[in-house]
Amino acid sequence: MDTIFEFLFSRDFLFYVFSGVTIGSALAMVTRKNPVASLLFMVATLASLAGIYVLFEAHFLAAIQIIVYAGAIMVLFLFVIMLLNLGHDYQKDLKGGAWAIFAFVVAGAMAGVLARQYGGIEALPIYRDAHGPQVIDALLAEQGAVGVMAHPLFTDYVLAFELTGILLLVAIVGALALAKRRV
Amino acid sequence: MELDFSSQAHYFLALLPEIVLTVFGMIVLVTGVWNKEGEGKAGSESLGAWALVGIVIAAGANGWLYGVTQTGGEGMVVIDRFRLFANWIFLLAGALCVLISLAYITRQRIQAGEVYALMLFAVVGMMVMAGTENLIVLFLGLEVMSISIYALAAINRRDRKSAEAGLKYFLLGAFSTGFFLYGIALTYGATGTTDIEGISQAIRTGSAAGPLLAFGIAFLAIGFGFKVAAVPFHMWTPDVYEGAPAPVTAFMATGVKAAAFLAFLRVFMVAFPQVPDDWFPIFWWLAAITMVAANLIALVQSNVKRMLAYSSIAHGGYLIVGVVAANQMASGAMLFYLLIYTLMNIGAFAVVISVAYQGEDRLQIEDYAGFGWQQPLLGVFLTVFLLSLAGFPGTGGFIGKIFLLQGALDAELWTLAIVLVLATLVSYWYYLRVAWYMWMREASAPDAHASVFTPLSMRVALFGAAGLILFLGIFPSAFGFLDFVQSSVDSLFGAAAAVVQVAP
């Protein structure tokens, strides 16, 4: 009995569970015709992705993922869809079955090639020399979960960080310019 | 002056042109809010003047950066002559587009504050794209530019076509951005870094994962193809270029295209020169198909804006030849060609805006009948721009094409060179057809073009653009300009040259 419990809560098994839920709900999200349903599947995708982050011991990232994406942004999406009353649109809007099949075949072939690649990836030099779990554990102990993210964000990646600010400003200005009532 | 990126204050100096433009963008934005509706004309033009002041100061900062060298530290921004030359092109495109849009924006009663602010932000995005050596920052620059342009394309709220153009561009652009981002992710997975020098090093030392890298490069190429509207990915271009407000179209056709080309020139010349097999065939076919298809479709267009859209796709094809050639000659030629292309394309759009009464009224080719005789100055200008676009001897477009051809021949791309020449010959037909309508056809009425007006700002832009095109077409090497262009691409090939020396 204990061994089954251990197996069910082992990292390997949980990883496959979360991965399966992520991929399954992502597929469901793009195939549902009802916008509300596909949005809820997207929430499921994001939430199970957060589970994978937890397995990687990126707890801070997982919390952010839940709070910002699954929590705030997706709920806003849901509000917008319901307010605009888009939930009753069950018409089929994807046309061309042949193209859909073609797209799935191409995507599947790519996934196969990538899977083959990742199979032997540990042998690659860049992965052998990459920061292993020990390095990350040491960093976490030294700086804490937030510090490990904040430190590079404001030093090495400060340009990207500031640029993201401008990006958000541009997006807000653009959205307001297009959406305000009186021009 | 020496910059050391281990001190964060030096980022401010290294990014001075971008920071100046961002600050002026915000000034224009906030001033635009206070601009009362009743003030209308004067207010809207003063906002454009503010934007111009920002561009001029940023140009000054860009010139100052020539005296700066980087001594230490790892910054994500590069200080090299390639970036600075690219900045000249973007600033020029921005300034010319502001100049030609002043009257249009006022007359169409478009929110001027947002327009000029978004234009400045778009220029910032372009400068970041061409000036970074990190794929993440490149992506952010691309997004700053693209989102500004999406909004600009739809900015004319009274025009259904403008809204359609904005939506189409946004959806397809977002889609292509996904490809581009996935390409970055795969490249990162294959090499363990997003720094393009680091990628090149990982490939050189053999630690990169081959097939993964090939996928990454292919996806990057797809994202690139969308942004420069290379032919299998060009479907959005005619509708968007036709529907967007004409000054925005001019900006899209020049600035955005130049930014995409220059950013990807850096990526492919610095990061991927060791694996030409992964991208050479892709770009070879992109170039060939783009040149042939775009020129053939342009032959049957009767709407001038649409014709210029296909013409810009065709010019993208010529420029991809420069990427395929992947040598210093061709890259220098691309810089030269992009500069000339910016001048001649914005110039052509300026005359189109004038003919359309600073709006979107008369865009059919029949509307140009007899235009040259009734408005001789504008007629001569448009003729110069069209001849340069077609690549007539004596214009900058001709010199640019010659350099591109020389680069292609240096790389022994015989087929592409022949296709380029033949495509150019085909393009004469549709460019000269407009000129023929202007000079050889009778106008529908003796005063058909009497109410065409060209404000002073647009005349300044037209004189400047036409003058530079003719000057560079006749004396391309005046003031050591050609050497200046060629030396601007040195930094892209410095790493590659070092490799050749190291390799046995």
Side-chain angles (χ1 to χ4, degrees):
Chain A
M1 201 63 191
D2 277 358
T3 48
I4 292 178
F5 247 62
E6 260 173 39
F7 172 70
L8 283 181
F9 287 97
S10 71
R11 192 171 283 204
D12 288 347
F13 179 71
L14 283 177
F15 175 75
Y16 285 111
V17 170
F18 282 124
S19 307
V21 174
T22 309
I23 294 174
S25 41
L27 271 178
M29 180 209 142
V30 291
T31 50
R32 291 307 90 189
K33 282 162 198 145
N34 185 339
V36 177
S38 53
L39 201 69
L40 289 175
F41 275 115
M42 192 168 175
V43 174
T45 311
L46 295 173
S48 49
L49 208 55
I52 296 181
Y53 289 158
V54 172
L55 292 180
F56 290 161
E57 303 209 0
H59 302 288
F60 179 65
L61 213 57
I64 290 292
Q65 171 90 359
I66 294 284
I67 295 170
V68 176
Y69 277 104
I73 295 182
M74 285 300 120
V75 170
L76 267 182
F77 260 52
L78 204 57
F79 270 134
V80 170
I81 286 186
M82 289 180 162
L83 282 177
L84 293 179
N85 208 11
L86 296 173
H88 306 295
D89 193 356
Y90 294 102
Q91 280 174 1
K92 192 176 159 92
D93 55 351
L94 279 173
K95 294 196 186 80
W99 280 106
I101 293 167
F102 175 72
F104 268 95
V105 168
V106 170
M110 243 196 71
V113 174
L114 288 180
R116 267 180 67 100
Q117 263 294 300
Y118 282 113
I121 206 133
E122 281 141 23
L124 284 170
I126 55 160
Y127 290 97
R128 269 191 275 117
D129 304 339
H131 302 306
Q134 295 85 8
V135 181
I136 293 179
D137 282 346
L139 269 178
L140 280 175
E142 188 191 332
Q143 299 178 331
V146 181
V148 169
M149 291 198 68
H151 194 254
L153 195 60
F154 289 102
T155 54
D156 294 348
Y157 290 86
V158 64
L159 180 57
F161 179 73
E162 299 293 340
L163 212 53
T164 312
I166 300 179
L167 177 61
L168 292 177
L169 173 71
V170 168
I172 293 171
V173 171
L176 278 183
L178 298 186
K180 76 181 173 193
R181 190 161 292 169
R182 278 182 59 236
V183 281
Chain B
M1 181 165 175
E2 294 177 345
L3 289 189
D4 178 7
F5 284 119
S6 48
S7 154
Q8 289 215 346
H10 284 190
Y11 273 104
F12 285 101
L13 297 174
L15 290 165
L16 201 56
E18 286 87 347
I19 292 174
V20 168
L21 278 187
T22 311
V23 168
F24 269 88
M26 292 176 193
I27 292 176
V28 170
L29 197 61
V30 175
T31 321
V33 174
W34 264 281
N35 204 358
K36 294 281 178 324
E37 198 132 315
E39 291 173 24
K41 186 178 158 84
S44 134
E45 289 189 351
S46 74
L47 289 173
W50 273 106
L52 276 179
V53 170
I55 291 174
V56 169
I57 296 178
N62 197 43
W64 174 78
L65 275 178
Y66 272 98
V68 167
T69 49
Q70 183 186 343
T71 54
E74 276 294 313
M76 287 183 171
V77 58
V78 205
I79 302 173
D80 62 0
R81 296 167 72 97
F82 181 75
R83 171 190 168 208
L84 299 180
F85 194 92
N87 284 357
W88 291 128
I89 297 179
F90 305 144
L91 290 168
L92 187 70
L96 287 177
C97 284
V98 171
L99 279 174
I100 66 170
S101 60
L102 287 172
Y104 183 98
I105 300 291
T106 313
R107 202 180 162 96
Q108 299 292 313
R109 290 181 293 141
I110 298 173
Q111 310 107 296
E114 283 88 342
V115 169
Y116 297 122
L118 285 173
M119 273 191 181
L120 292 187
F121 287 133
V123 175
V124 172
M126 293 169 191
M127 289 162 88
V128 169
M129 278 175 77
T132 182
E133 54 183 359
N134 190 298
L135 289 178
I136 295 177
V137 179
L138 171 60
F139 171 72
L140 285 169
L142 181 77
E143 280 302 278
V144 170
M145 174 186 84
S146 301
I147 291 184
S148 310
I149 303 286
Y150 300 148
L152 280 173
I155 201 82
N156 193 351
R157 302 263 312 273
R158 292 177 192 80
D159 187 2
R160 291 178 66 91
K161 273 186 154 182
S162 173
E164 181 195 334
L167 191 64
K168 260 187 189 159
Y169 193 32
F170 173 66
L171 290 177
L172 287 172
F175 187 54
S176 77
T177 301
F179 277 102
F180 181 67
L181 202 56
Y182 197 27
I184 294 179
L186 289 173
T187 310
Y188 178 72
T191 59
T193 175
T194 53
D195 182 78
I196 58 175
E197 290 280 352
I199 292 170
S200 159
Q201 206 172 344
I203 296 172
R204 224 160 35 220
T205 55
S207 64
L212 214 53
L213 185 68
F215 269 114
I217 292 176
F219 276 94
L220 286 178
I222 292 175
F224 169 66
F226 263 103
K227 282 297 161 207
V228 302
V231 153
F233 315 112
H234 71 293
M235 293 80 76
W236 56 273
T237 319
D239 290 347
V240 174
Y241 281 19
E242 191 192 345
V248 176
T249 309
F251 195 46
M252 271 196 275
T254 55
V256 173
K257 195 159 280 203
F261 267 114
L262 294 172
F264 280 85
L265 193 62
R266 189 193 285 282
V267 170
F268 281 89
M269 295 306 126
V270 177
F272 304 130
Q274 317 289 325
V275 283
D277 290 348
D278 283 348
W279 54 273
F280 180 84
I282 303 178
F283 283 125
W284 197 98
W285 282 105
L286 274 185
I289 299 173
T290 305
M291 285 191 287
V292 173
N295 278 307
L296 289 182
I297 305 173
L299 289 177
V300 295
Q301 300 303 321
S302 60
N303 180 310
V304 176
K305 256 171 114 182
R306 255 183 123 77
M307 185 276 276
L308 283 174
Y310 280 106
S311 129
S312 94
I313 299 175
H315 282 272
Y318 308 146
L319 284 158
I320 299 177
V321 175
V323 181
V324 180
N327 55 29
Q328 198 157 356
M329 180 74 211
S331 299
M334 282 177 72
L335 285 188
F336 186 89
Y337 200 80
L338 279 170
L339 180 71
I340 298 289
Y341 171 73
T342 301
L343 291 166
M344 60 196 183
N345 217 18
I346 296 183
F349 270 107
V351 182
V352 169
I353 294 169
S354 253
V355 175
Y357 300 139
Q358 306 290 331
E360 307 282 339
D361 291 337
R362 305 190 303 164
L363 293 170
Q364 296 303 312
I365 190 163
E366 291 81 24
D367 298 326
Y368 286 73
F371 179 72
W373 297 108
Q374 296 192 11
Q375 299 278 347
L377 189 62
L378 282 180
V380 169
F381 276 139
L382 185 54
T383 312
V384 168
F385 296 133
L386 289 171
L387 288 179
S388 182
L389 282 166
F392 246 61
T395 60
F398 173 73
I399 304 288
K401 275 204 181 106
I402 291 290
F403 286 141
L404 271 180
L405 268 179
Q406 200 174 334
L409 294 179
D410 284 353
E412 305 192 337
L413 298 168
W414 313 117
T415 318
L416 278 187
I418 292 168
V419 173
L420 200 160
V421 173
L422 291 180
T424 302
L425 287 179
V426 171
S427 75
Y428 280 10
W429 161 256
Y430 58 85
Y431 290 124
L432 294 185
R433 195 160 65 120
V434 179
W436 187 76
Y437 265 91
M438 266 194 318
W439 299 104
M440 306 292 182
R441 276 290 189 94
E442 284 286 316
S444 54
D447 57 349
H449 305 291
S451 50
V452 167
F453 73 100
T454 319
L456 177 67
S457 58
M458 191 179 266
R459 265 178 277 164
V460 170
L462 285 170
F463 265 108
L468 267 176
I469 287 170
L470 290 176
F471 182 75
L472 289 177
I474 298 166
F475 313 105
S477 51
F479 308 117
F481 185 70
L482 274 187
D483 297 334
F484 177 72
V485 174
Q486 284 297 341
S487 72
S488 294
V489 292
D490 278 346
S491 59
L492 297 193
F493 294 91
V499 177
V500 174
Q501 286 162 8
V502 172

